[in-house]
Amino acid sequence: MQKYDGKYLVSKKVALSMLVYLMIACAVVGVVVYYVGVEELTKSQPRQNTRQEPSAEPEPESSKLAKPSKPKPKVTDVRLPTHLVPLDYKLELVPFITPDNFTIRGYAEIEMNCTESAFNVTLHAADITIENDTVKVMEKDGDNVDIFNYDYDLDREFFIVNLNAGLLAGKTYVIKIHYTAYLKDNLKGFYRSVYKDLNTGEEEYIATTQLQPTDARRVFPCFDEPQIKAKYKISLGRRPDMSSISNMPIASEGVPMEGTPDYVWDKYQQSVKMSTYLVAFVVSKFKFVETTRDNNVRFRIWSKPDSLDQTAYAQEIGPKMLEFFENYYNVKFPLPKQDMIAVPDFHAGAMENWGLIVYRETALLFKEGVSAKSNKERIAIVVSHELAHQWFGNLVTPSWWTDLWLNEGFASYVQYLGVEAIQPELKLLEQFVIMDLQNVFSIDALESSHPISIPVKHPDEINEIFDSISYKKGASIIRMMDKFLTTNTFRQALTNYLTDLQFDAAEQDDLWQHLTEQGHKDGRLALDMEVKTIMDTWTLQMGFPVVTVRRNYQKKTAIITQERFLIGKSKEKTTDTKEYSWWIPLTFAAAGSSFNDTYSEHWMKEGEQTKDISGMPVSRTAVVFNVQQTGYYRVNYDKENWRLLSQQLLKDHLAIHVINRAQIMDDALNLAKSDLLDYETALGLTGYLSNEVEYVPWDSALTGLSYISKMLKRTPAYGDFKRYMLKLIDPIYTKLGFTAKPEDTNLEIKLRKQAVAWACNMGNKDCLIKAKENFGEWMGKVQPDSEEANPVDVNLKYETYCNAIADGNEEEWDFAWERYQSSQVASEKSTILDALGCTKEVWMLNR
């Protein structure tokens, strides 16, 4: 090496030698770093863990909009492997209901039967942090099974414990897991809700659950599919100043918790065998009222302490309805107690958790003199619906969510029977056609409808089918079955079904089989017919038919045809090439005859192009098909029969059953809407309404006429329409009046609401003046928030508030807003909030 001009120079030979040595040194360092890194990696992580571990989902942020991102394709193979069947769960949960924490300390211990050899335990787990080093798998009363590693499949929400040694078929194993879950305010899983205590003025928290359909996995690792049932032994940790409730009664209450004086344990009796989505618990400072009837079931209603005076109605009807369903199903209620609780924040109307039904406040609480009769009717319906589920859904559960409709549709039908039995003065059964059947027709008549039984896989798909098709169409076709089999046969088949499959899961074909067997036994179903054959045409394809009746007036016969009924048919060529056809139970009655027989002597078969029926009335008498609208279909007639129906309604509308009068209104106006009947005929039928005094036909007619009102509102013809409507509505408005009467029935109260709403909307001056006067009188009160200060008829609050705010200015709106903020009655707050939207001053809604 030489120095030249301040620089060092080396020969080529030396430079080449240095380069070789440098390359060898780099290679050696690379090899050392690689093997040291691999060694450290294998020490710190399980081998072959190819998937990301889960992290807690963030709390919802209402103030920020999420950035749009490209949606990731959803996995569809989401079902658990079947080699393990859970027998028992032991759950220990401590929810920390404190603003600086909001976590849940959890421990799950699951006893499982192995049905086939396998090398893993696969459970559902989502949005929880599992402490991997605490996980143990062992033979029951035996040795530990060596764990190979842990795998997290986030797309399928699986927690997979891979094992070195295989699980053996026929043996029982136990898995133990410690974990942390999160007490969020997202209304799913084990979540928190907050309310203000009126006595202290302080905010109080409550922890409650909503696990249906797939959120049990957010609370504890589990086999979170409806057909996988097990027993549960639950322990809940709580502060001593709070209380807890779960599916079963408490076995040991307030047991000291080791290591802390701040929390105690409530240990519950072991549950009956049930699905994960029915597990429930609540930790709160709520209070309760209770009743025990002859069936020895302890029945409690829980609410916030300051709302306890609003539980009396639920306390009155709930225990009676439970006894009704015991008798209706002829199967004893399998639990020793039934709790119902009203919580401040709840996503659904209510949830049928076995032994602990959770409601939103408006679905359970009723305050006499403040809540409207419609609130009482809604409470009766929801309570009846959830209690019906305690058998149909809880005792026997759908095998998968594809048959959700069977669960919800059935409860949506028999809820009417429960209310009719316990609160007959509400006349709820008469309202079925307008509340469910005609209501869901409007959705099922669209090309975008879907079959009632629809295959679902991903949890998002499951949530999407909790819709009117599952509930209301389900209820309607089950009601149709009740009538074409007759009620006695239908009930006996249900008893057989619930008894044979109790504490198990079933598919719709299991119910069809029990109904077929009983129908054949009782002679109510022809031996060459099966319920499955009939009902598959109603459950496996979407839509419904319109049955067209063309009479031969000389021969007293009729030709019947069927086709799918559609409203708003797309002008573009549809890709749906299916030929729709149904098994249709046909019933008919002549005007002036009995409409009591709903049993079907005649059937139109699937694929049958036409059907001839004899026994029509004489040529001058109208015939009505679909007696009491028990069949799930519309009816169109030849022009002469429509004329005879219109003539009969004008002459003596009582010659046609009240439900069929509603059917005629609904069918005619919707047939006209779909261009299957001219509007002259359809509107001609409504002319008799000036003599109608029953709520159900009026509701059907006004629903159809509201569409015409919307279509004409911006046209020159709207003035003529308003004058026609006032001609129809004024007689019933005058008869019922704006002011309530002590002798009003439930249906008269509901009809007055409709009459007042339409009279005011169509410009009846008396109606508008009285609404403004009543609201103005309330505004003039010194203490408007006291219960006795409000002069507005409790059942006309929305109509009065809405019209007064619409015709008023900022003063009326501000007054209503102040009443909304100060009210402590959930139903009143809901009514005021709806009415605030009636203002014509849009700027007030944007303040």
Coordinates of all heavy atoms in Angstrom, one line a residue, residues 271-340:
S271 N -78.6 -24.8 33.2 CA -79.7 -24.6 32.3 C -80.1 -25.9 31.6 O -79.5 -27.0 31.7 CB -79.3 -23.6 31.2 OG -78.5 -24.3 30.2
V272 N -81.3 -25.9 31.0 CA -81.7 -27.0 30.1 C -80.8 -26.9 28.8 O -80.1 -25.9 28.6 CB -83.2 -26.8 29.7 CG1 -84.0 -27.0 31.0 CG2 -83.5 -25.5 29.0
K273 N -80.9 -27.9 28.0 CA -80.2 -27.9 26.8 C -80.7 -26.9 25.8 O -81.9 -26.9 25.5 CB -80.3 -29.3 26.2 CG -79.3 -29.7 25.1 CD -79.5 -31.1 24.6 CE -78.7 -31.5 23.4 NZ -78.9 -32.9 23.0
M274 N -79.8 -26.0 25.3 CA -80.3 -24.9 24.4 C -79.2 -24.4 23.5 O -78.0 -24.8 23.7 CB -80.8 -23.8 25.3 CG -79.8 -23.1 26.2 SD -80.7 -21.8 27.2 CE -79.2 -21.1 28.0
S275 N -79.6 -23.6 22.6 CA -78.7 -23.0 21.6 C -77.9 -21.9 22.2 O -78.4 -21.2 23.1 CB -79.4 -22.6 20.3 OG -80.2 -23.6 19.8
T276 N -76.7 -21.6 21.6 CA -75.9 -20.5 22.1 C -76.6 -19.1 22.0 O -76.5 -18.3 22.9 CB -74.6 -20.4 21.3 OG1 -74.9 -20.4 19.9 CG2 -73.7 -21.5 21.6
Y277 N -77.4 -18.9 21.0 CA -78.0 -17.6 20.8 C -79.1 -17.2 21.8 O -79.5 -16.1 21.9 CB -78.5 -17.4 19.3 CG -79.9 -18.1 19.0 CD1 -81.1 -17.4 19.3 CD2 -79.9 -19.4 18.5 CE1 -82.3 -18.0 19.0 CE2 -81.1 -20.0 18.2 CZ -82.3 -19.3 18.5 OH -83.5 -19.9 18.2
L278 N -79.5 -18.2 22.6 CA -80.5 -18.0 23.6 C -79.9 -17.8 25.0 O -80.7 -17.5 25.9 CB -81.4 -19.2 23.7 CG -82.3 -19.5 22.4 CD1 -83.0 -20.8 22.5 CD2 -83.2 -18.4 22.2
V279 N -78.6 -17.9 25.1 CA -77.9 -17.5 26.4 C -78.1 -16.0 26.7 O -78.0 -15.2 25.8 CB -76.4 -17.9 26.4 CG1 -75.7 -17.5 27.6 CG2 -76.3 -19.4 26.2
A280 N -78.4 -15.7 27.9 CA -78.6 -14.3 28.2 C -78.2 -14.0 29.7 O -78.3 -14.8 30.6 CB -80.0 -13.9 28.0
F281 N -77.7 -12.8 29.9 CA -77.5 -12.3 31.2 C -77.6 -10.7 31.2 O -77.3 -10.1 30.2 CB -76.2 -12.7 31.8 CG -75.2 -13.3 30.8 CD1 -74.4 -12.4 30.1 CD2 -75.1 -14.6 30.7 CE1 -73.5 -13.0 29.2 CE2 -74.2 -15.2 29.8 CZ -73.4 -14.3 29.0
V282 N -78.0 -10.2 32.4 CA -78.1 -8.7 32.6 C -77.5 -8.4 34.0 O -77.8 -9.1 34.9 CB -79.5 -8.2 32.5 CG1 -79.6 -6.7 32.7 CG2 -80.1 -8.6 31.2
V283 N -76.7 -7.4 34.0 CA -76.2 -6.9 35.3 C -76.6 -5.4 35.4 O -76.3 -4.6 34.5 CB -74.6 -7.0 35.4 CG1 -74.1 -6.4 36.7 CG2 -74.2 -8.5 35.3
S284 N -77.3 -5.0 36.4 CA -77.9 -3.7 36.5 C -78.3 -3.3 37.9 O -78.1 -4.1 38.9 CB -79.1 -3.6 35.6 OG -80.2 -4.4 36.2
K285 N -78.8 -2.1 38.1 CA -79.5 -1.7 39.3 C -81.0 -1.6 39.2 O -81.6 -0.9 39.9 CB -78.9 -0.3 39.7 CG -77.4 -0.3 40.1 CD -77.0 1.1 40.6 CE -75.5 1.1 41.0 NZ -75.1 2.4 41.5
F286 N -81.5 -2.4 38.2 CA -82.9 -2.4 38.0 C -83.7 -3.1 39.1 O -83.2 -3.8 39.9 CB -83.2 -3.2 36.7 CG -82.9 -2.4 35.4 CD1 -82.1 -1.3 35.5 CD2 -83.5 -2.7 34.2 CE1 -81.8 -0.5 34.3 CE2 -83.3 -2.0 33.1 CZ -82.4 -0.9 33.1
K287 N -85.0 -2.8 39.2 CA -85.9 -3.4 40.1 C -87.0 -4.2 39.4 O -87.1 -4.1 38.2 CB -86.6 -2.3 41.0 CG -85.7 -1.3 41.7 CD -84.8 -2.1 42.7 CE -83.9 -1.1 43.5 NZ -83.0 -1.8 44.4
F288 N -87.7 -5.0 40.2 CA -88.7 -5.9 39.5 C -90.0 -6.0 40.3 O -90.0 -5.7 41.5 CB -88.1 -7.3 39.3 CG -87.9 -8.0 40.6 CD1 -88.9 -8.8 41.2 CD2 -86.6 -8.0 41.2 CE1 -88.6 -9.5 42.4 CE2 -86.4 -8.7 42.4 CZ -87.4 -9.4 43.0
V289 N -91.1 -6.4 39.6 CA -92.3 -6.8 40.2 C -92.5 -8.3 39.8 O -92.0 -8.7 38.8 CB -93.5 -6.0 39.8 CG1 -93.4 -4.5 40.2 CG2 -93.7 -6.0 38.2
E290 N -93.2 -9.0 40.6 CA -93.3 -10.5 40.3 C -94.7 -11.0 40.6 O -95.5 -10.5 41.3 CB -92.3 -11.3 41.0 CG -92.5 -11.4 42.5 CD -91.5 -12.4 43.1 OE1 -91.6 -13.6 42.8 OE2 -90.6 -12.0 43.8
T291 N -95.0 -12.1 39.9 CA -96.3 -12.9 40.0 C -96.0 -14.4 39.9 O -95.1 -14.7 39.1 CB -97.2 -12.4 38.9 OG1 -97.5 -11.1 39.0 CG2 -98.6 -13.2 39.0
T292 N -96.7 -15.2 40.6 CA -96.6 -16.6 40.4 C -98.0 -17.2 40.3 O -98.9 -16.9 41.1 CB -95.9 -17.3 41.5 OG1 -94.6 -16.8 41.6 CG2 -95.8 -18.8 41.3
R293 N -98.3 -17.8 39.2 CA -99.7 -18.4 38.9 C -99.7 -19.9 39.2 O -98.8 -20.5 39.7 CB -100.1 -18.0 37.5 CG -100.4 -16.5 37.3 CD -100.8 -16.2 35.9 NE -102.0 -16.9 35.5 CZ -103.3 -16.4 35.8 NH1 -103.4 -15.3 36.5 NH2 -104.3 -17.1 35.4
D294 N -100.8 -20.5 38.8 CA -101.0 -21.9 39.1 C -100.0 -22.9 38.5 O -99.8 -24.0 39.0 CB -102.4 -22.4 38.6 CG -103.5 -21.7 39.4 OD1 -103.2 -21.2 40.5 OD2 -104.7 -21.6 38.9
N295 N -99.3 -22.4 37.5 CA -98.2 -23.3 36.9 C -96.9 -23.2 37.6 O -95.9 -23.9 37.2 CB -98.0 -22.9 35.4 CG -97.6 -21.5 35.2 OD1 -97.4 -20.7 36.2 ND2 -97.4 -21.1 34.0
N296 N -96.9 -22.5 38.7 CA -95.7 -22.4 39.6 C -94.5 -21.8 38.9 O -93.3 -22.1 39.3 CB -95.4 -23.7 40.2 CG -96.5 -24.2 41.2 OD1 -97.0 -23.4 42.0 ND2 -96.8 -25.5 41.1
V297 N -94.6 -21.0 37.9 CA -93.5 -20.4 37.2 C -93.4 -19.0 37.8 O -94.3 -18.2 37.8 CB -93.7 -20.3 35.7 CG1 -92.6 -19.5 35.1 CG2 -93.8 -21.7 35.1
R298 N -92.2 -18.7 38.4 CA -92.0 -17.3 38.9 C -91.8 -16.4 37.8 O -90.9 -16.6 36.9 CB -90.7 -17.3 39.8 CG -90.5 -16.0 40.6 CD -89.2 -16.0 41.3 NE -89.1 -14.9 42.1 CZ -87.9 -14.4 42.7 NH1 -86.8 -15.1 42.4 NH2 -87.9 -13.3 43.4
F299 N -92.6 -15.3 37.7 CA -92.7 -14.4 36.6 C -92.3 -13.0 37.1 O -93.1 -12.4 37.9 CB -94.1 -14.4 36.0 CG -94.1 -14.1 34.5 CD1 -94.4 -15.0 33.6 CD2 -93.8 -12.8 34.1 CE1 -94.4 -14.7 32.2 CE2 -93.8 -12.5 32.7 CZ -94.1 -13.4 31.8
R300 N -91.2 -12.5 36.6 CA -90.8 -11.1 37.0 C -90.7 -10.2 35.9 O -90.2 -10.6 34.8 CB -89.4 -11.2 37.8 CG -89.5 -12.0 39.0 CD -88.1 -12.0 39.8 NE -87.1 -12.7 39.0 CZ -85.8 -12.8 39.4 NH1 -85.5 -12.4 40.6 NH2 -84.9 -13.4 38.7
I301 N -91.0 -8.9 36.1 CA -90.9 -7.8 35.1 C -89.9 -6.8 35.7 O -90.1 -6.3 36.8 CB -92.2 -7.1 34.8 CG1 -93.3 -8.1 34.6 CG2 -92.0 -6.2 33.6 CD1 -93.2 -8.9 33.4
W302 N -88.8 -6.6 35.0 CA -87.7 -5.7 35.4 C -87.7 -4.4 34.6 O -88.0 -4.4 33.4 CB -86.3 -6.4 35.2 CG -86.1 -7.6 36.1 CD1 -86.7 -8.8 35.9 CD2 -85.3 -7.7 37.2 NE1 -86.2 -9.7 36.8 CE2 -85.3 -9.1 37.7 CE3 -84.4 -6.8 37.9 CZ2 -84.6 -9.5 38.7 CZ3 -83.7 -7.3 39.0 CH2 -83.8 -8.6 39.4
S303 N -87.3 -3.3 35.3 CA -87.2 -2.0 34.6 C -86.3 -1.1 35.4 O -85.9 -1.4 36.6 CB -88.5 -1.3 34.4 OG -89.0 -0.8 35.6
K304 N -85.9 0.1 34.9 CA -85.3 1.1 35.7 C -86.2 1.4 36.9 O -87.4 1.3 36.8 CB -85.1 2.3 34.8 CG -84.1 2.2 33.7 CD -84.0 3.5 32.9 CE -85.3 4.0 32.2 NZ -85.1 5.1 31.3
P305 N -85.6 1.7 38.0 CA -86.4 2.0 39.2 C -87.5 3.0 39.0 O -88.6 2.8 39.5 CB -85.3 2.5 40.2 CG -84.1 1.8 39.8 CD -84.1 1.8 38.3
D306 N -87.2 4.1 38.2 CA -88.2 5.1 38.1 C -89.3 4.7 37.0 O -90.2 5.5 36.8 CB -87.5 6.4 37.7 CG -86.6 6.3 36.5 OD1 -87.0 6.1 35.4 OD2 -85.3 6.4 36.8
S307 N -89.1 3.6 36.4 CA -90.1 3.1 35.4 C -90.9 1.9 35.9 O -91.7 1.4 35.2 CB -89.4 2.7 34.1 OG -88.7 3.8 33.5
L308 N -90.7 1.6 37.1 CA -91.4 0.4 37.7 C -92.9 0.5 37.7 O -93.6 -0.5 37.5 CB -90.9 0.1 39.1 CG -91.0 -1.4 39.5 CD1 -90.1 -2.3 38.6 CD2 -90.5 -1.5 41.0
D309 N -93.4 1.7 37.8 CA -94.9 1.9 37.7 C -95.4 1.7 36.3 O -96.7 1.7 36.1 CB -95.2 3.3 38.2 CG -94.6 4.4 37.3 OD1 -93.6 4.2 36.6 OD2 -95.2 5.6 37.4
Q310 N -94.6 1.5 35.3 CA -95.0 1.3 33.9 C -95.0 -0.2 33.6 O -95.2 -0.6 32.4 CB -94.1 2.0 33.0 CG -94.1 3.5 33.2 CD -93.1 4.2 32.3 OE1 -93.0 3.9 31.1 NE2 -92.4 5.2 32.8
T311 N -94.8 -1.1 34.6 CA -94.7 -2.5 34.3 C -96.0 -3.3 34.6 O -96.1 -4.5 34.3 CB -93.6 -3.2 35.1 OG1 -93.9 -3.0 36.5 CG2 -92.2 -2.6 34.8
A312 N -97.0 -2.6 35.1 CA -98.3 -3.2 35.6 C -99.0 -4.0 34.4 O -99.4 -5.1 34.7 CB -99.2 -2.2 36.2
Y313 N -99.0 -3.4 33.2 CA -99.7 -4.1 32.1 C -99.0 -5.4 31.7 O -99.7 -6.5 31.6 CB -99.9 -3.2 30.9 CG -100.7 -3.8 29.8 CD1 -102.0 -4.2 30.0 CD2 -100.1 -4.0 28.5 CE1 -102.7 -4.8 28.9 CE2 -100.8 -4.5 27.5 CZ -102.1 -5.0 27.7 OH -102.8 -5.5 26.6
A314 N -97.7 -5.3 31.6 CA -96.9 -6.5 31.3 C -97.1 -7.6 32.4 O -97.1 -8.8 32.1 CB -95.5 -6.2 31.0
Q315 N -97.1 -7.1 33.6 CA -97.2 -8.1 34.7 C -98.6 -8.7 34.7 O -98.7 -9.9 35.1 CB -97.1 -7.3 36.1 CG -97.1 -8.2 37.3 CD -97.1 -7.4 38.6 OE1 -97.3 -6.2 38.6 NE2 -96.9 -8.1 39.7
E316 N -99.6 -8.0 34.2 CA -101.0 -8.6 34.1 C -101.1 -9.6 33.1 O -101.6 -10.7 33.3 CB -102.0 -7.5 33.9 CG -103.4 -8.0 33.7 CD -104.3 -6.9 33.0 OE1 -103.9 -5.7 33.0 OE2 -105.4 -7.3 32.6
I317 N -100.6 -9.3 31.9 CA -100.8 -10.2 30.7 C -99.8 -11.3 30.5 O -100.1 -12.4 30.0 CB -100.9 -9.4 29.4 CG1 -99.6 -8.7 29.0 CG2 -102.1 -8.4 29.5 CD1 -99.6 -8.1 27.7
G318 N -98.5 -11.0 30.9 CA -97.4 -12.0 30.7 C -97.7 -13.4 31.3 O -97.6 -14.4 30.5
P319 N -97.9 -13.5 32.6 CA -98.1 -14.8 33.2 C -99.3 -15.5 32.6 O -99.3 -16.8 32.4 CB -98.3 -14.5 34.7 CG -97.6 -13.2 34.9 CD -97.9 -12.4 33.6
K320 N -100.4 -14.8 32.2 CA -101.6 -15.4 31.7 C -101.2 -16.0 30.3 O -101.7 -17.1 29.9 CB -102.7 -14.4 31.6 CG -103.2 -13.9 32.9 CD -104.3 -12.9 32.7 CE -104.8 -12.3 34.1 NZ -105.8 -11.2 33.9
M321 N -100.5 -15.2 29.5 CA -100.1 -15.7 28.2 C -99.2 -16.9 28.2 O -99.3 -17.8 27.4 CB -99.4 -14.6 27.4 CG -100.4 -13.5 26.9 SD -99.5 -12.2 26.0 CE -100.9 -11.2 25.4
L322 N -98.3 -17.0 29.2 CA -97.5 -18.1 29.4 C -98.3 -19.4 29.6 O -98.1 -20.5 29.0 CB -96.5 -17.9 30.5 CG -95.4 -19.0 30.6 CD1 -94.4 -18.8 29.5 CD2 -94.7 -18.9 32.0
E323 N -99.3 -19.2 30.5 CA -100.2 -20.4 30.7 C -101.1 -20.7 29.5 O -101.3 -21.9 29.2 CB -101.2 -20.0 31.9 CG -100.6 -20.1 33.2 CD -101.6 -20.0 34.4 OE1 -102.5 -19.2 34.2 OE2 -101.5 -20.8 35.4
F324 N -101.5 -19.7 28.7 CA -102.2 -20.0 27.5 C -101.4 -20.9 26.5 O -101.9 -21.8 26.0 CB -102.6 -18.7 26.8 CG -103.0 -18.9 25.3 CD1 -104.3 -19.4 25.1 CD2 -102.2 -18.7 24.3 CE1 -104.7 -19.6 23.7 CE2 -102.6 -18.9 23.0 CZ -103.8 -19.4 22.7
F325 N -100.1 -20.5 26.3 CA -99.3 -21.3 25.4 C -99.0 -22.7 25.9 O -98.9 -23.6 25.2 CB -98.0 -20.5 25.1 CG -98.2 -19.4 24.1 CD1 -98.0 -18.1 24.5 CD2 -98.7 -19.6 22.8 CE1 -98.2 -17.0 23.6 CE2 -99.0 -18.6 21.9 CZ -98.7 -17.3 22.3
E326 N -98.9 -22.8 27.3 CA -98.7 -24.2 27.8 C -99.9 -25.0 27.4 O -99.8 -26.2 27.0 CB -98.7 -24.1 29.3 CG -97.3 -23.8 29.9 CD -97.2 -24.0 31.4 OE1 -98.2 -23.6 32.1 OE2 -96.3 -24.6 31.9
N327 N -101.1 -24.5 27.5 CA -102.3 -25.2 27.1 C -102.5 -25.3 25.6 O -102.9 -26.4 25.1 CB -103.6 -24.5 27.6 CG -103.6 -24.5 29.1 OD1 -103.2 -25.4 29.8 ND2 -104.1 -23.4 29.7
Y328 N -102.1 -24.3 24.8 CA -102.2 -24.4 23.4 C -101.3 -25.4 22.8 O -101.7 -26.2 22.0 CB -101.8 -23.0 22.8 CG -101.9 -23.0 21.2 CD1 -103.1 -22.8 20.6 CD2 -100.8 -23.1 20.5 CE1 -103.2 -22.8 19.2 CE2 -100.8 -23.1 19.1 CZ -102.1 -23.0 18.4 OH -102.2 -23.0 17.1
Y329 N -100.0 -25.5 23.2 CA -99.1 -26.5 22.8 C -99.3 -27.8 23.4 O -98.8 -28.8 23.0 CB -97.7 -26.0 23.0 CG -97.2 -24.8 22.3 CD1 -96.7 -23.7 22.9 CD2 -97.2 -24.7 20.9 CE1 -96.3 -22.5 22.3 CE2 -96.8 -23.6 20.2 CZ -96.3 -22.5 20.9 OH -95.9 -21.4 20.2
N330 N -99.9 -27.8 24.6 CA -100.1 -29.0 25.4 C -98.7 -29.6 25.8 O -98.5 -30.8 25.9 CB -100.9 -30.1 24.7 CG -101.4 -31.1 25.7 OD1 -101.5 -30.9 26.9 ND2 -101.8 -32.3 25.2
V331 N -97.8 -28.7 26.1 CA -96.4 -29.0 26.5 C -96.1 -28.0 27.7 O -96.2 -26.8 27.5 CB -95.4 -28.9 25.4 CG1 -94.0 -29.2 25.9 CG2 -95.7 -29.8 24.3
K332 N -95.7 -28.6 28.8 CA -95.4 -27.7 30.0 C -94.2 -26.9 29.7 O -93.2 -27.3 29.1 CB -95.2 -28.6 31.2 CG -95.0 -27.8 32.5 CD -95.0 -28.7 33.7 CE -94.6 -27.9 35.0 NZ -95.5 -26.7 35.2
F333 N -94.2 -25.6 30.2 CA -93.1 -24.7 30.2 C -91.9 -25.4 30.9 O -92.1 -25.7 32.1 CB -93.4 -23.4 30.8 CG -92.3 -22.3 30.7 CD1 -91.9 -21.9 29.5 CD2 -91.8 -21.8 31.8 CE1 -90.8 -21.0 29.4 CE2 -90.8 -20.9 31.8 CZ -90.3 -20.4 30.6
P334 N -90.8 -25.5 30.3 CA -89.7 -26.4 30.9 C -88.8 -25.7 32.0 O -87.9 -26.3 32.5 CB -88.9 -26.8 29.7 CG -89.1 -25.7 28.7 CD -90.4 -25.2 28.9
L335 N -89.0 -24.4 32.2 CA -88.2 -23.7 33.1 C -88.9 -23.3 34.4 O -90.2 -23.1 34.4 CB -87.6 -22.4 32.5 CG -86.8 -22.5 31.2 CD1 -86.2 -21.2 30.8 CD2 -85.7 -23.6 31.3
P336 N -88.2 -23.1 35.5 CA -88.9 -22.7 36.8 C -89.2 -21.2 36.9 O -90.0 -20.8 37.8 CB -87.9 -23.1 37.9 CG -86.6 -23.0 37.2 CD -86.8 -23.4 35.7
K337 N -88.7 -20.4 36.0 CA -89.0 -19.0 36.1 C -88.9 -18.3 34.7 O -88.4 -18.9 33.8 CB -87.9 -18.3 37.0 CG -86.5 -18.3 36.5 CD -86.1 -17.0 35.7 CE -84.7 -17.0 35.3 NZ -84.3 -15.8 34.5
Q338 N -89.5 -17.1 34.6 CA -89.5 -16.4 33.4 C -89.3 -14.9 33.8 O -90.2 -14.3 34.5 CB -90.8 -16.5 32.6 CG -90.9 -15.7 31.3 CD -89.9 -16.1 30.3 OE1 -90.0 -17.2 29.7 NE2 -88.9 -15.2 30.0
D339 N -88.2 -14.3 33.3 CA -88.0 -12.9 33.5 C -88.2 -12.1 32.2 O -87.9 -12.7 31.1 CB -86.5 -12.6 34.0 CG -86.3 -13.0 35.4 OD1 -87.1 -12.6 36.3 OD2 -85.3 -13.7 35.7
M340 N -88.7 -10.9 32.3 CA -88.8 -10.0 31.2 C -88.2 -8.7 31.7 O -88.6 -8.2 32.7 CB -90.3 -9.9 30.7 CG -90.9 -11.2 30.4 SD -92.4 -11.0 29.3 CE -93.4 -9.9 30.2

